[in-house]
Amino acid sequence: MNILLVSTYELGHQPFGLASPAAWLSARGHTVACADLDVESLPLDKVRAADLVALYLPMHTATRLAVRAIEKIRQLNQAAHLCCYGLYAPLNETYLRTLGVETILGGEFEPGLVSLADRLASAKPTSTKHGSQTEPLVSLDRLQFLAPARSGLPVLGKYAKLRVNGSAKAVGYTEATRGCKHLCRHCPVVPVYHGQFRVVQADVVLQDIRQQVAAGAQHITFGDPDFFNGPTHAMRIVDSLHRDFPAVTYDATIKIEHLRKHRELLPRLKDTGCLFVTSAVESIDDAVLEKLDKGHTRSDFVEVVREFQAVGLTLAPTFIPFTPWTTRQSYRELLEMLVELDIVDNVGPVQLALRLLIPGNSLLLELDDIQSVITAFDQPALLHRWKHTDPDIDLLAERALKVAALPGSRREIFSKMW
């Protein structure tokens, strides 16, 4: 069975979501090719040769780009079985099936891909259709992972670099867990994992890191939705990483709630080479944080910032400044707080311009406030459209997005935003 795994966007990282299933499928005896359309063109010969084309959809942007790729793939190879897998695949099942996607796999997708490949390989050669999907739409099985197979991916040099003090570091990417044990209303992980998370065994994670360091990685990004869903597991990995490669640095994403609860671990993060921690703060308005069910307050955020500054770690907060509850005053307070806390340089400009995204099956739809402002579900855009009750706030959001796209340093763009 000739299989082509396709990624369209993974935030500038070499995709774990191709490397992991590539290992599983190859171990089963299938011929696997990979294409990362973020750094290379669609390989026409590989598309034409494929019996199965599986597209990885880990996020909203990747899914939008995959829709475009599906049309090209269909033109090149009408006989290939199309599959979409990853977090955003089951969230958009109905729309993807209208595009000709026959199999949708969410959650722990590796066994589903193997099952699908085996099923297709055993079908009669004259068959153009292979029956309806027998694999579960979402699987949350606990897996024994294999070390990701990265040899078929573009080299690390083609991916994003981390700039530190004037130098550029090659960045590797891996995942130590999937899913999340929290139920933040706006999070796309929740409708798939429903408060559960799954662990990638530590020896597999470390083996993956070793092969990336051997390929030139000087920094590792842990792509877990929350690295401290399993803090003991996480610290075991970074302790080993630092012991084996003391010059290699890393970053991770961790909730404010977890950073407060496990504040005693912050010095160990620093000592093991953590350069920064990304945290989805979303808002500094306690009423909005409660609507989103974030599990932290404004004062919790301030406390964590101070803890990081005391330890000498960098906190990189992310925000959703434009929601149905945003006011001019609340937006002004956000800018003022970044100045007050001296973290303007820690915040990417786009974080001051993002608008609340409401995907299909979002828990946000449970709120009457949301039901009163949504207008329609835009299927090609993969989201529910909404309008603020104050049109001036929507205009402000449009202006902020234009300012965020201007050239200049973070501080220069912040000054324009201010």
Side-chain angles (χ1 to χ4, degrees):
M1 171 66 62
N2 290 321
I3 302 169
L4 176 62
L5 302 177
V6 179
S7 174
T8 59
Y9 181 69
E10 184 69 291
L11 294 171
H13 298 124
Q14 193 185 62
F16 180 91
L18 295 194
S20 179
W24 286 65
L25 292 163
S26 297
R28 190 69 173 179
H30 298 290
T31 301
V32 183
C34 296
D36 186 353
L37 306 190
D38 196 26
V39 297
E40 61 184 344
S41 300
L42 185 67
L44 306 186
D45 55 337
K46 293 178 181 177
V47 173
R48 293 190 181 103
D51 302 301
L52 164 63
V53 179
L55 297 97
Y56 177 49
L57 313 182
M59 61 190 77
H60 185 265
T61 300
T63 307
R64 293 286 302 275
L65 294 171
V67 169
R68 301 179 198 171
I70 286 170
E71 182 179 354
K72 295 179 182 177
I73 291 166
R74 267 287 172 244
Q75 292 171 354
L76 292 165
N77 186 344
Q78 294 184 5
H81 186 102
L82 285 185
C83 168
C84 286
Y85 67 99
L87 188 65
Y88 266 75
L91 293 181
N92 297 285
E93 177 192 7
T94 301
Y95 180 53
L96 292 171
R97 292 201 189 279
T98 67
L99 301 177
V101 178
E102 297 171 79
T103 301
I104 308 286
L105 302 171
E108 306 305 282
F109 48 74
E110 286 88 349
L113 281 168
V114 170
S115 170
L116 172 62
D118 289 349
R119 176 163 62 88
L120 297 179
S122 64
K124 294 180 180 179
T126 56
S127 174
T128 57
K129 291 291 179 181
H130 306 286
S132 59
Q133 177 171 338
T134 58
E135 297 73 26
L137 181 69
V138 173
S139 170
L140 298 183
D141 289 347
R142 299 179 187 276
L143 307 181
Q144 178 59 53
F145 283 85
L146 301 177
R150 296 183 176 272
S151 60
L153 292 168
V155 296
L156 281 181
K158 289 192 173 185
Y159 292 90
K161 305 286 193 301
L162 177 67
R163 299 198 175 278
V164 181
N165 299 325
S167 64
K169 289 188 169 188
V171 179
Y173 175 93
T174 194
E175 297 175 7
T177 58
R178 287 181 180 157
C180 185
K181 64 183 180 182
H182 296 277
L183 299 171
C184 303
R185 279 198 178 96
H186 63 302
C187 180
V189 175
V190 175
V192 175
Y193 280 88
H194 301 288
Q196 300 181 68
F197 76 101
R198 294 292 178 258
V199 167
V200 181
Q201 289 74 27
D203 61 327
V204 173
V205 179
L206 291 167
Q207 189 174 345
D208 190 27
I209 290 172
R210 290 188 194 102
Q211 66 176 333
Q212 292 183 78
V213 172
Q218 300 161 293
H219 179 91
I220 298 295
T221 290
F222 289 99
D224 311 35
D226 194 298
F227 198 49
F228 273 8
N229 269 321
T232 301
H233 175 63
M235 296 312 299
R236 183 181 300 121
I237 289 170
V238 296
D239 284 342
S240 297
L241 165 61
H242 186 63
R243 183 183 62 247
D244 294 345
F245 306 105
V248 174
T249 54
Y250 68 90
D251 71 273
T253 297
I254 306 174
K255 281 173 65 71
I256 293 295
E257 179 181 355
H258 286 164
L259 293 170
R260 285 188 70 245
K261 182 178 180 181
H262 303 292
R263 67 187 69 193
E264 77 283 354
L265 296 178
L266 298 186
R268 273 178 69 191
L269 290 177
K270 170 74 173 177
D271 292 344
T272 53
C274 182
L275 288 187
F276 62 93
V277 171
T278 301
S279 192
V281 178
E282 316 302 31
S283 176
I284 60 166
D285 184 322
D286 282 339
V288 175
L289 291 169
E290 186 174 351
K291 295 281 189 186
L292 300 180
D293 200 9
K294 280 299 298 179
H296 71 260
T297 64
R298 174 187 181 127
S299 62
D300 292 337
F301 167 55
V302 173
E303 182 182 329
V304 168
V305 171
R306 299 302 188 201
E307 291 269 3
F308 267 67
Q309 290 169 336
V311 171
L313 264 176
T314 296
L315 182 71
T318 62
F319 298 99
I320 307 173
F322 292 101
T323 71
W325 309 286
T326 299
T327 65
R328 278 186 167 273
Q329 180 60 27
S330 69
Y331 189 69
R332 191 178 296 118
E333 287 177 2
L334 172 60
L335 300 183
E336 290 171 347
M337 176 163 281
L338 299 183
V339 173
E340 178 186 336
L341 295 176
D342 192 24
I343 56 172
V344 168
D345 292 321
N346 297 17
V347 180
V350 74
Q351 297 301 325
L352 302 176
L354 293 178
R355 183 179 169 90
L356 182 66
L357 190 152
I358 308 176
N361 299 321
S362 172
L363 294 190
L364 286 167
L365 298 171
E366 297 175 351
L367 300 178
D368 291 339
D369 310 40
I370 295 296
Q371 289 295 332
S372 67
V373 297
I374 57 176
T375 55
F377 185 76
D378 186 334
Q379 204 167 48
L382 312 175
L383 51 77
H384 289 271
R385 297 286 183 186
W386 62 270
K387 292 183 179 180
H388 199 283
T389 54
D390 179 358
D392 193 44
I393 299 299
D394 287 335
L395 291 174
L396 179 63
E398 291 177 12
R399 291 172 59 199
L401 193 60
K402 290 177 181 177
V403 172
L406 293 173
S409 68
R410 288 184 172 186
R411 192 163 288 269
E412 289 168 342
I413 297 173
F414 181 88
S415 295
K416 293 182 173 66
M417 204 74 79
W418 179 275

